[in-house]
């Protein structure tokens, strides 16, 4: 019964993290800005760190089943 929320949260975090990392990678590959008006290296680094953090949080939720 208590595994339902962990599965939902893990899925949401994993999808968001993977999507953010893919989107950031595509923007960097096309030399497009990740965030408008911000240093390109800093914005790409922060977005990749946030995506990695969300992905790791999703994996952590799945280990709690």
């Amino acid at each position: 019964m208590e595994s339902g929320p962990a599965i939902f949260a893990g899925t949401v975090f994993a999808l968001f993290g993977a999507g953010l990392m893919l989107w950031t990678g595509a923007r960097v590959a096309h030399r497009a800005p990740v965030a408008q008006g911000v240093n390109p290296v800093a914005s790409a680094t922060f977005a990749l760190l946030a995506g990695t953090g969300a992905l790791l949080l999703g994996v952590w939720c799945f280990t709690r089943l």
Side-chain angles (χ1 to χ4, degrees), residues 23-58:
W23 179 81
T24 303
R27 299 293 288 178
V28 169
H30 290 112
R31 304 242 186 241
V34 176
Q36 207 66 329
V38 182
N39 182 354
V41 175
S43 62
T45 302
F46 181 74
L48 285 174
L49 285 174
T52 303
L55 196 58
L56 289 174
L57 193 56

Side-chain angles (χ1 to χ4, degrees), residues 1-37:
M1 187 72 170
E2 294 160 352
S3 64
I7 292 170
F8 177 75
T11 302
V12 169
F13 281 126
L15 286 175
F16 175 75
L20 183 61
M21 290 174 69
L22 273 169
W23 179 81
T24 303
R27 299 293 288 178
V28 169
H30 290 112
R31 304 242 186 241
V34 176
Q36 207 66 329

